[in-house]
Amino acid sequence: MTFQQMCTQLLEGLEMTLIIFFLVLIFSLPLGLIVCFGRRSKFKPLSWIVRVFIDILRGTPLMLQLLVVFYGPFFLFGMTLTKEWRFAALIIGFVINYSAYFAEIYRAGIDSIPIGQYEAAEVLGYTRGQTFMKIIFPQMVKRVIPPTTNEIITLVKDTSMAFVLATTPPEMFTLAKQITAAGRMGQGAKSMLPLFIAGVFYFVLNAIVSWAMGKLEKKLAYYQ
């Protein structure tokens, strides 16, 4: 297989990688905020349950969580494991995992806002919802951009974990492994070139993410 053919096949896998990336990002960012509210709730049972939820998700491997989400319905309810469920389980597993990380990032951002701003908003007659949306949330967004960027970069690389559930069509890393296993160079030595090409694609994607988030961070730096 020529270099051009490898790149063409890997670009097909890149499409699936981007689909996974954007779907997980779209759902996990707002879900993380909901989990954050639960974590900060003054209702202790809810706060404790959410805290345990976060600890479990951050303390166990993503690979294990994907397998649990995929096989769980079969063992619990006898559900047939279809190709469609394979992809859905992948997205659900990723979204649940990343929502836990984003929730802790949001919580740190909210807790960093001085208590005086809440008191000032109360004096001005703001409701709790108005205080959060107009005063706290904009500042929280500014403060969590750097750690959120780190998590998004990690997500780009973690899309390679899709191989665990063997989704079809395969994402880029799975495709690179398949090409590597099928292709041979010299006296039976397997070519590592597809993996290196995939590595370059991941690097470029992360460079784009870093550039975009850097632009956003500068745009939100009102007083600098």
Side-chain angles (χ1 to χ4, degrees):
M1 181 179 294
T2 65
F3 177 81
Q4 184 176 359
Q5 289 174 326
M6 288 182 186
C7 289
T8 301
Q9 286 198 22
L10 290 176
L11 284 174
E12 294 175 0
L14 178 62
E15 181 180 355
M16 188 62 173
T17 294
L18 291 175
I19 290 174
I20 296 171
F21 171 75
F22 283 113
L23 284 177
V24 173
L25 205 59
I26 289 170
F27 291 111
S28 62
L29 285 172
L31 180 58
L33 192 58
I34 296 173
V35 175
C36 173
F37 290 152
R39 176 69 176 82
R40 299 182 74 253
S41 173
K42 293 182 179 179
F43 183 57
K44 294 301 180 182
L46 175 61
S47 177
W48 183 83
I49 291 172
V50 174
R51 181 174 181 175
V52 172
F53 166 82
I54 292 174
D55 288 343
I56 291 174
L57 290 174
R58 295 198 304 169
T60 56
L62 174 59
M63 182 184 297
L64 175 61
Q65 295 168 27
L66 292 175
L67 292 173
V68 168
V69 172
F70 178 62
Y71 289 108
F74 171 76
F75 289 110
L76 293 175
F77 311 111
M79 182 182 118
T80 304
L81 304 179
T82 63
K83 182 176 70 173
E84 291 74 17
W85 170 244
R86 192 177 297 273
F87 179 75
L90 176 72
I91 301 302
I92 292 171
F94 266 103
V95 168
I96 293 175
N97 178 272
Y98 271 85
S99 68
Y101 286 93
F102 286 133
E104 287 298 275
I105 291 174
Y106 296 155
R107 185 171 69 89
I110 293 173
D111 290 346
S112 69
I113 308 298
I115 191 66
Q117 297 199 26
Y118 292 91
E119 296 171 347
E122 186 177 358
V123 170
L124 292 172
Y126 281 35
T127 65
R128 291 183 62 183
Q130 290 174 327
T131 300
F132 180 79
M133 292 305 299
K134 295 184 178 181
I135 299 176
I136 306 303
F137 183 73
Q139 295 183 76
M140 181 271 286
V141 170
K142 289 173 59 179
R143 298 186 183 198
V144 303
I145 289 295
T148 300
T149 300
N150 289 336
E151 284 303 313
I152 294 176
I153 288 174
T154 301
L155 173 58
V156 172
K157 296 179 290 185
D158 277 354
T159 55
S160 61
M161 296 291 290
F163 81 90
V164 175
L165 300 185
T167 55
T168 52
E171 42 70 48
M172 185 168 56
F173 182 70
T174 301
L175 202 54
K177 291 201 305 178
Q178 292 174 355
I179 297 173
T180 299
R184 296 181 178 275
M185 295 179 62
Q187 297 179 349
K190 293 182 179 180
S191 171
M192 297 290 290
L193 185 57
L195 296 177
F196 285 115
I197 297 173
V200 171
F201 286 163
Y202 282 118
F203 178 81
V204 172
L205 284 177
N206 279 327
I208 294 173
V209 169
S210 297
W211 174 81
M213 296 301 287
K215 286 286 187 181
L216 179 60
E217 187 174 358
K218 288 182 179 179
K219 185 175 182 180
L220 294 176
Y222 312 123
Y223 306 114
Q224 296 180 6

